[in-house]
Amino acid sequence: MARLPLDYAVRNLGRSPLRAGLSVLGACLVVLLIIAAAGFVTGMSRSLRASGDDRHVILLGAGSEESIERSEIPASVGSLVAAAVPGLETSMGVPHVSAEVHVQLPVRATPDADNPRLLLIRGVTPAAMLVHRSVQITEGRFPRAGHDEIMLGSAAPRQLGLAESDLAVGSTLWIDKSRWTIVGRFAAPGTVMQAEAWTALTDLKAATKRETDSCVVLALGDAEFADIDAFARQRLDLELTAIPETRYYAGLASFFRPVQAVVWATALLIAAGGLLGGLNTMYAAFSSRVRELGMLQCLGYRRGAIVLSLVQESLLAASAGAVLASIVGLAMLDGLAVRFSTGVFGLVVDHTVVALGLAAGLALGLIGALPPALRALRLPIPESLKAA
Amino acid sequence: MTTAPFIQCRSLTRAYRKGATVITPLRELDLDVPAGDFVALMGPSGSGKTTLLNLIAGIDRPTAGSLIIGGVDLGRLSAARLADWRAASVGYVFQLYNLVPVLTAYENVELPLLLRRMPSRERHRRVALALELTGIADRHDHYPRQLSGGQEQRVAIARAIVADPPLLVADEPTGDLDGESAAAIMSLLVRLNRELGKTLIMVTHDPRSAAHARRTLHLEKGRLVADDRPNAEAAA
Ligand SMILES: Nc1ncnc2c1ncn2[C@@H]1O[C@H](COP(=O)(O)OP(=O)(O)O)[C@@H](O)[C@H]1O
Ligand SMILES: [Mg+2]
């Protein structure tokens, strides 16, 4: 089938620079939205996945498998499991067993600040640094016990909505009613931990008036998950459940799947609105050219060739918008920190997300042009030659 | 020995069904046109002139009867074959020129040639020749909006002849032009008929334009009512 030259499609775009501009802009916005949604969902999933290590096991209170924060276990569990299970990872004789308290507490920069935000405070012992290898202290030091000291993750300021300068090492924070001193900053790239504050286990338990721990996280080393599981089942008195850390975060991810679905649904609804707008523009543009399309058929061009040319025209505008959106997405959205109940995570605009955005842009160009093109060619040639 | 006429219409009928009513703009028309003829189609508005012309141009299909042009029964061609037949066999000249506004005169004339495989040198040669023949070569890089009506029609005629089809059809080609431009376009069409031997079917309201034809057909209510050959001696 003989085609119309691509140049014809290009120049038809130039018939109305305003329409072409709006088409490019519309496609750009829709694709940007899809990139943002995909970046959000990818970022959230990735941060939850990165937070779990397949050689780590979490011991939780039986019945609290879904939430560490709700879990309570005796403070003795850490030392009991370390003594009972041989082969756990050790460093210079210290087993990689981290007893922890996880609690969300309101945090203020000043004692009378309004609307404090919640931050996940993790009470830990130095063993936590052995278990959670992705945590790197970037400034200051690890909090000492007995001094109400605290160490902030790199994304904590964003989580709190506070300026970095308010949270410099040496400044103070108000957690609930008590005063804490910031002694360090840490990074834990890509994990939920970067949006937490860490403090000494005993200090946090004193401040929250609790005797129990939330969980024990341990590194298996030469032991197997079955060993830890057996320990949990045998020590009925401790009321424990053992779950692999990866499974815990996979559970969190599936808990948030409805949220991801809502994000997608919203993005797709708005994209559908954009598509309808695009259809409308294209209907107007093509229907004003019905007579010219009749003339082309008169010359011997087949309908298919004409539809192809009209679709090319729309694809040109849509792909220009999609490329623009990908550039903006990569430059401005990739890594952008967002605050969510899973903590702070970065939007991920990787090649999969960009490819998805580009594909969405092409689909938009195709679906936006096909019905108007077919409609513009609906009339028999003699009637289209009579069109205005 | 008599050769078959170039165009042969037998009981050619075109009807439109609109609900219960049937409109028949063309009714059982019999017509033979020899190759190289120049026929003017006249008649009151709504008498079926454009309907007949569109059938002959292969952009419409008969409801009944047969239409054979150059040995091809147009009623039997698929839509795609008919499109190919048009590209090779017929050039259409419109009252309102129908040039593509975003293409230059040259590019407009080139359009029919892009339908066939052809070296670009050959294409260029043919476009230049068509523009030369229609006397518009000096405006080849102008866009339609930069041309007068008469000049636009010259470009449109160049487009109709560039693929060298044996048949030209024109629907009121001077209907939108002033007297002087109309006369110039008419003498161009006459030259295409006389010098290049194109068979030419032209709808017109203007007796002065019709006077250039070898033969004038009068239609009324879809029927042929008169067939004048004032110039028949010249043709014979
Ligand atoms: N697509 C159509 N549907 C119904 N009637 C039509 C259609 N096209 C033409 N007609 C009718 O056919 C008749 C002849 O039309 P046409 O051939 O255009 O006349 P003209 O001699 O003025 O060129 C008119 O009465 C017109 O209303
Ligand atoms: Mg007419």
Side-chain angles (χ1 to χ4, degrees):
Chain A
M1 183 177 71
R3 299 188 192 160
L4 283 154
L6 182 63
D7 200 34
Y8 175 68
V10 175
R11 288 204 224 166
N12 274 326
L13 269 180
R15 279 187 190 208
S16 166
L18 180 67
R19 174 179 70 85
L22 287 176
S23 303
V24 172
L25 188 70
C28 178
L29 290 177
V30 168
V31 171
L32 203 54
L33 185 77
I34 287 181
I35 287 179
F40 178 88
V41 168
T42 311
M44 182 194 277
S45 306
R46 193 170 290 181
S47 94
L48 290 175
R49 209 176 322 125
S51 302
D53 184 315
D54 59 3
R55 297 299 292 162
H56 284 177
V57 175
I58 307 179
L59 283 165
L60 289 157
S64 303
E65 292 84 351
E66 314 244 288
S67 168
I68 294 178
E69 287 163 53
R70 256 187 278 131
S71 157
E72 294 199 57
I73 59 172
S76 56
V77 170
S79 44
L80 288 174
V81 72
V85 180
L88 294 178
E89 185 106 36
T90 60
S91 294
M92 292 183 285
V94 181
H96 292 198
V97 173
S98 174
E100 304 179 356
V101 166
H102 293 212
V103 56
Q104 299 240 24
L105 291 172
V107 173
R108 295 172 171 86
T110 54
D112 46 1
D114 293 330
N115 303 323
R117 288 197 188 164
L118 291 175
L119 190 68
L120 191 115
I121 318 287
R122 195 186 286 229
V124 289
T125 63
M129 295 301 285
L130 298 174
V131 175
H132 302 290
R133 286 301 178 84
S134 61
V135 172
Q136 300 290 328
I137 295 177
T138 52
E139 196 187 344
R141 57 173 174 77
F142 194 80
R144 287 174 302 166
H147 292 83
D148 285 349
E149 291 176 347
I150 199 161
M151 166 168 94
L152 287 181
S154 56
R158 184 168 180 88
Q159 175 82 1
L160 290 171
L162 293 174
E164 292 280 345
S165 54
D166 292 335
L167 301 169
V169 170
S171 49
T172 52
L173 269 185
W174 296 79
I175 301 178
D176 243 355
K177 300 268 162 346
S178 56
R179 185 171 178 272
W180 296 71
T181 308
I182 300 170
V183 295
R185 299 290 299 267
F186 68 91
T191 72
V192 297
M193 291 181 287
Q194 60 182 346
E196 299 178 357
W198 284 18
T199 167
L201 180 63
T202 48
D203 290 5
L204 186 58
K205 284 161 84 170
T208 55
K209 302 189 179 69
R210 65 187 276 173
E211 317 254 280
T212 56
D213 291 348
S214 300
C215 65
V216 165
V217 185
L218 54 84
L220 284 172
D222 297 326
E224 287 303 324
F225 172 72
D227 304 331
I228 310 297
D229 196 39
F231 169 79
R233 286 170 196 280
Q234 281 155 17
R235 294 298 304 260
L236 290 174
D237 57 316
L238 298 175
E239 297 181 57
L240 295 176
T241 305
I243 59 173
E245 194 179 38
T246 43
R247 204 195 310 151
Y248 176 78
Y249 284 104
L252 267 191
S254 64
F255 178 76
F256 284 109
R257 213 149 285 147
V259 172
Q260 304 187 343
V262 167
V263 166
W264 273 124
T266 310
L268 292 179
L269 272 178
I270 300 177
L275 177 65
L276 288 181
L279 277 170
N280 196 33
T281 318
M282 288 302 178
Y283 271 120
F286 294 167
S287 65
S288 70
R289 266 186 248 159
V290 167
R291 189 151 54 91
E292 180 176 317
L293 303 182
M295 179 278 293
L296 290 172
Q297 293 179 78
C298 236
L299 295 187
Y301 283 98
R302 299 198 187 166
R303 276 162 201 263
I306 297 171
V307 169
L308 183 71
S309 178
L310 295 177
V311 166
Q312 275 175 346
E313 184 180 334
S314 161
L315 280 178
L316 280 168
S319 49
V323 167
L324 205 64
S326 303
I327 293 170
V328 172
L330 282 169
M332 299 181 62
L333 294 183
D334 189 33
L336 186 71
V338 282
R339 198 176 144 257
F340 198 67
S341 14
T342 55
V344 171
F345 59 87
L347 295 185
V348 173
V349 182
D350 58 6
H351 52 264
T352 316
V353 172
V354 168
L356 183 74
L358 290 175
L362 293 182
L364 194 70
L366 183 69
I367 302 169
L370 261 186
L374 294 175
R375 191 187 158 91
L377 285 165
R378 180 190 46 138
L379 289 179
I381 308 173
E383 283 179 53
S384 61
L385 288 175
K386 286 185 202 153
Chain B
M1 191 181 97
T2 56
T3 53
F6 181 56
I7 301 175
Q8 193 180 60
C9 308
R10 290 292 174 270
S11 300
L12 187 62
T13 301
R14 179 66 169 105
Y16 294 98
R17 188 178 294 277
K18 279 251 162 69
T21 58
V22 176
I23 305 166
T24 313
L26 204 64
R27 230 178 255 274
E28 303 193 342
L29 185 110
D30 292 317
L31 175 67
D32 285 343
V33 178
D37 208 352
F38 180 176
V39 179
L41 281 178
M42 295 192 79
S45 183
S47 57
K49 306 181 294 293
T50 297
T51 304
L52 176 58
L53 198 75
N54 286 344
L55 287 168
I56 292 174
I59 62 171
D60 196 5
R61 287 164 175 286
T63 312
S66 72
L67 172 59
I68 296 172
I69 300 181
V72 178
D73 187 344
L74 297 196
R76 291 176 187 277
L77 296 183
S78 67
R81 291 276 149 263
L82 198 56
D84 295 344
W85 178 84
R86 288 197 296 273
S89 313
V90 58
Y92 203 126
V93 179
F94 308 89
Q95 177 177 357
L96 294 175
Y97 331 125
N98 282 335
L99 298 180
V100 179
V102 293
L103 300 182
T104 63
Y106 181 96
E107 291 160 339
N108 267 286
V109 174
E110 194 181 26
L111 274 178
L113 295 184
L114 299 176
L115 282 162
R116 30 174 98 180
R117 267 174 223 292
M118 183 181 285
S120 61
R121 284 175 75 88
E122 172 66 5
R123 202 164 64 226
H124 177 78
R125 192 188 66 78
R126 292 216 196 179
V127 174
L129 181 65
L131 288 166
E132 199 66 51
L133 277 168
T134 52
I136 196 73
D138 55 332
R139 299 300 184 98
H140 67 93
D141 58 350
H142 283 52
Y143 287 91
R145 65 185 138 77
Q146 300 168 314
L147 299 172
S148 72
Q151 290 168 333
E152 280 198 79
Q153 194 59 299
R154 284 174 190 274
V155 175
I157 292 171
R159 179 181 64 192
I161 63 171
V162 73
D164 201 21
L167 174 63
L168 292 182
V169 300
D171 198 349
E172 304 190 34
T174 59
D176 219 47
L177 297 175
D178 61 77
E180 201 174 324
S181 304
I185 291 297
M186 277 318 302
S187 60
L188 173 56
L189 290 176
V190 167
R191 269 182 50 220
L192 296 178
N193 172 246
R194 298 260 160 86
E195 295 171 20
L196 301 184
K198 303 290 178 199
T199 305
L200 182 51
I201 316 286
M202 175 183 77
V203 171
T204 184
H205 279 304
D206 177 12
R208 276 169 305 170
S209 295
H212 290 89
R214 298 177 201 252
R215 177 178 175 193
T216 303
L217 300 177
H218 290 268
L219 286 179
E220 239 167 69
K221 293 184 179 154
R223 292 181 193 276
L224 203 53
V225 294
D227 188 348
D228 303 332
R229 297 169 182 265
N231 301 331
E233 322 75 48

